[in-house]
Amino acid sequence: QVQLVESGGGLVQAGGSLRLSCAASGRTFSSYAMGWFRQAPGNEREFVAAINWSGGSRYYADSVLGRFIISRDNAQNTVYLQMNSLKPEDTAVYYCAADLKYTYGSTWWGDFGSWGQGTQVTVSS
């Protein structure tokens, strides 16, 4: 399995931007589909975005479509989540996830086998 470490979370005002990064270990990063999920207190883990191994296919939750952009740099073993026009309801712990056999378009967290520890994003109103 791949090891994942997120960074880039923090406190931002509504309307602002943040970029999350997820650094992966291992030489097979480019074989993995990658995803971002988030979980707010008392809520279930929620799909945010996913990207296939090459970066050529991207999928977003309706709640972030047009505001968030997922991308990856396979040479740097890193996946990014650029978050723009942030809203207070985007406040959550954001998790990076990876899987070799991800079914593109799935929003179920169980389809990802490797997870990072999470990074907190707080959006103030």
Side-chain angles (χ1 to χ4, degrees):
Q1 289 189 345
V2 65
Q3 306 298 316
L4 305 172
V5 178
E6 302 97 333
S7 60
L11 173 65
V12 64
Q13 288 189 333
S17 298
L18 280 176
R19 188 175 82 155
L20 304 183
S21 299
C22 174
S25 65
R27 294 174 291 177
T28 60
F29 172 76
S30 61
S31 299
Y32 284 80
M34 301 297 296
W36 286 97
F37 286 73
R38 66 187 182 187
Q39 189 167 17
N43 291 354
E44 294 188 354
R45 192 162 296 192
E46 175 190 20
F47 172 80
V48 175
I51 190 168
N52 75 333
W53 66 274
S54 69
S57 295
R58 310 177 194 198
Y59 186 66
Y60 297 94
D62 289 343
S63 58
V64 307
L65 187 63
R67 300 188 298 122
F68 291 11
I69 299 172
I70 188 171
S71 63
R72 67 188 298 160
D73 184 341
N74 286 342
Q76 298 295 323
N77 281 14
T78 303
V79 64
Y80 304 98
L81 185 68
Q82 177 67 45
M83 306 186 294
N84 302 318
S85 302
L86 283 160
K87 305 174 181 180
E89 52 263 43
D90 294 318
T91 295
V93 176
Y94 283 71
Y95 297 90
C96 174
D99 202 86
L100 287 171
K101 299 182 179 178
Y102 168 67
T103 301
Y104 187 74
S106 171
T107 62
W108 184 48
W109 61 267
D111 277 342
F112 286 87
S114 298
W115 291 86
Q117 83 289 349
T119 185
Q120 176 70 46
V121 171
T122 303
V123 184
S124 63
S125 58

